[in-house]
Amino acid sequence: MNQQKPSPTIDTVSAFNPEFRNHPDQILDQIRSAYPVLHDESVDAIILTRAKDVAQVLNDRNIDCDPRKSSPGSRLRQVHRVDENFRPSLLRMDDPDHKRVRDLVSKAFNQASVDALRPKVEQIASDLLDSLQGRSSFDLIETFAEPFPMAVIAELLQVDADKREDFLQWSKAMNQLFNPRPTPEQLASLKWGSASFHAYLKQIVDQRREHRGADLISSLITAHEGENTLTEWEIISTCELLLFAGNVTTTDLIGNGMFALLQHPEQMEKLRVNPALLPGAIEEMLRYDSPVTHVARVARDSPGIDGCPFHAGQTIYSLVNGANHDPALHLDAHAFDIERENKRHYSFGGGAHFCLGAPLARAEAQIAFSLLLKRFPNISLKPGAEPVRKITPSFRGLESLWLTVPSIEETRS
């Protein structure tokens, strides 16, 4: 007698599942085909993989973000460790607080501020690559993809250079914020990283209130709209969000993007021959192997999708790579094509919560790949050193990516 195969669950599409971590497309295709609106009864959550459904949820202002609105005992409450002291950052705020804080933050952190920072970002990237001159191989993640965005954020906040290593360690510790299964050691590391960064930022905010500068923290303090200003908590939590979310996603974009180019040498050659393709190539990297695995929302009572109603407090997981690889949205969706005409993706979310840091992430990636391909035109994967995927529940990236450099261009561009 044939036993019916159990339905997929949220754990099926987790980085804790080795099959999904290393080969997500096959599992996502199967779910999209057989369970387009999947109800995981074990955690009372809805899982979406179709692009049209993900777009509908992300753009629906009647669907919430605050995990305190999710059902008691939900996975979302567990991940965010919701208790009586929990306060959401901008990432998890709902209106009217979300609109008020985002509008004020946007006055200080926007496309214009990123454009003004760009020369410094180029210098940071160039200095890091200088340190690799003469080496025959290196781990791209450890030597460049991790320290690069961290140094950019440190520059944005205008913190002391001797604090950058602390920033990196705090950021790694705070990534456990999204881990539903932290070990006691990881939980202790999270508390240490969060407390250390919070204390440091409070000190800096106090200093900048007395002596303003040209940095983001000073701009956040100064930002106002009528009588509205940001509270100390809102300033600090916004900077914390930049540190642990903005850092890890850019690291993963650089690592995933380089790995995709190395797996598709014909695409890398196109980019070398025609650097004007770079902005579009970055969008294809984001679509093809998104650093963000899913976007979680909290439902209100509604008709839902395709006859599957949503009830208040139910968590909705929109699987980003599922939507990005939906054949209904993209022809040959699993192909990596930097000249793809339609590069629409959901790697920066959507709707009112579209990623505020998207302009900075795009600028960092464009600068990183432009310099990497100029400095190391013959770069390749190091034989015998297989890339290692991180086990990070909310993000998809590489723990290591060892590269070989047969010859290094000695002149700086």
Side-chain angles (χ1 to χ4, degrees):
M1 180 177 179
N2 292 329
Q3 289 186 332
Q4 187 174 2
K5 189 176 180 179
S7 301
T9 68
I10 193 64
D11 291 328
T12 306
V13 291
S14 164
F16 290 111
N17 176 4
E19 183 181 358
F20 182 76
R21 185 169 67 246
N22 294 310
H23 307 286
D25 290 343
Q26 182 178 1
I27 292 175
L28 289 170
D29 286 349
Q30 291 171 350
I31 292 175
R32 192 188 307 106
S33 175
Y35 306 93
V37 183
L38 174 62
H39 181 203
D40 179 356
E41 297 182 1
S42 66
V43 292
D44 189 24
I46 298 295
I47 300 171
L48 304 175
T49 52
R50 296 186 302 191
K52 68 172 186 175
D53 299 336
V54 168
Q56 177 180 327
V57 167
L58 294 182
N59 288 289
D60 191 340
R61 289 181 176 270
N62 291 315
I63 294 179
D64 296 316
C65 284
D66 192 334
R68 293 175 298 184
K69 297 178 180 179
S70 65
S71 302
S74 71
R75 177 72 64 88
L76 197 60
R77 280 177 172 266
Q78 176 189 352
V79 167
H80 288 276
R81 295 164 183 84
V82 173
D83 58 22
E84 63 277 5
N85 299 315
F86 177 83
R87 284 189 288 179
S89 69
L90 180 61
L91 183 70
R92 283 291 167 198
M93 286 180 185
D94 290 322
D95 287 339
D97 285 339
H98 176 263
K99 185 179 188 310
R100 174 183 61 81
V101 173
R102 187 180 176 106
D103 286 350
L104 289 169
V105 172
S106 295
K107 291 179 179 295
F109 184 55
N110 49 40
Q111 185 67 60
S113 65
V114 170
D115 291 342
L117 187 66
R118 195 175 182 108
K120 188 62 181 179
V121 176
E122 291 176 347
Q123 187 61 54
I124 291 169
S126 184
D127 289 347
L128 284 167
L129 294 179
D130 281 348
S131 69
L132 301 177
Q133 294 282 12
R135 296 179 59 171
S136 61
S137 65
F138 56 85
D139 179 0
L140 181 70
I141 308 302
E142 181 182 12
T143 60
F144 182 77
E146 282 187 345
F148 173 49
M150 182 56 58
V152 171
I153 292 170
E155 178 66 27
L156 191 63
L157 301 181
Q158 281 290 288
V159 301
D160 297 334
D162 62 1
K163 282 291 181 183
R164 291 185 180 180
E165 180 58 30
D166 289 333
F167 265 43
L168 183 58
Q169 298 308 317
W170 294 339
S171 175
K172 288 182 177 180
M174 290 168 66
N175 286 339
Q176 299 302 326
L177 179 64
F178 296 103
N179 188 349
R181 307 177 192 173
T183 64
E185 293 77 16
Q186 289 172 330
L187 195 55
S189 178
L190 169 62
K191 291 179 179 179
W192 165 79
S194 181
S196 299
F197 189 52
H198 190 95
Y200 178 74
L201 281 177
K202 187 179 188 310
Q203 175 187 347
I204 297 299
V205 169
D206 289 342
Q207 291 175 358
R208 303 287 161 80
R209 287 193 190 279
E210 296 296 324
H211 305 286
R212 305 288 169 88
D215 57 283
L216 178 62
I217 294 176
S218 295
S219 298
L220 291 173
I221 293 170
T222 303
H224 64 85
E225 189 169 286
E227 296 183 355
N228 285 332
T229 58
L230 294 167
T231 66
E232 180 181 79
W233 158 254
E234 289 163 350
I235 293 170
I236 290 175
S237 66
T238 296
C239 293
E240 288 178 338
L241 187 61
L242 268 176
L243 177 73
F244 75 82
N247 171 46
V248 70
T249 51
T250 301
T251 294
D252 293 344
L253 169 55
I254 294 170
N256 293 353
M258 179 57 75
F259 189 36
L261 287 174
L262 291 167
Q263 289 178 307
H264 300 85
E266 77 288 352
Q267 300 296 313
M268 182 178 282
E269 184 60 24
K270 285 182 183 179
L271 206 49
R272 286 198 186 103
V273 172
N274 185 4
L277 294 173
L278 186 55
I282 301 301
E283 299 307 307
E284 177 67 351
M285 292 172 191
L286 286 161
R287 184 204 71 84
Y288 180 74
D289 197 0
S290 173
V292 176
T293 60
H294 65 268
V295 178
R297 294 287 185 264
V298 182
R300 303 179 192 177
D301 289 326
S302 76
I305 293 173
D306 280 3
C308 180
F310 298 159
H311 64 74
Q314 192 169 42
T315 303
I316 307 170
Y317 290 103
S318 295
L319 302 192
V320 172
N321 269 351
N324 289 349
H325 285 237
D326 187 345
L329 182 65
H330 296 291
L331 294 174
D332 203 7
H334 296 326
F336 180 67
D337 180 5
I338 65 172
E339 295 184 284
R340 183 184 296 275
E341 290 186 10
N342 173 21
K343 297 185 180 67
R344 191 195 311 179
H345 60 78
Y346 299 93
S347 301
F348 289 128
H353 281 265
F354 183 83
C355 178
L356 196 62
L360 180 59
R362 285 178 165 130
E364 288 173 313
Q366 289 170 17
I367 289 167
F369 281 98
S370 176
L371 292 177
L372 279 164
L373 294 179
K374 286 179 182 177
R375 296 288 191 93
F376 309 119
N378 299 315
I379 203 166
S380 61
L381 288 170
K382 184 177 181 178
E386 289 297 317
V388 178
R389 286 283 177 192
K390 294 188 293 189
I391 306 177
T392 310
S394 295
F395 304 109
R396 176 173 165 80
L398 293 165
E399 194 76 46
S400 65
L401 182 63
W402 276 92
L403 306 178
T404 294
V405 188
S407 63
I408 299 178
E409 199 172 83
E410 295 295 336
T411 57
R412 295 183 61 182
S413 57

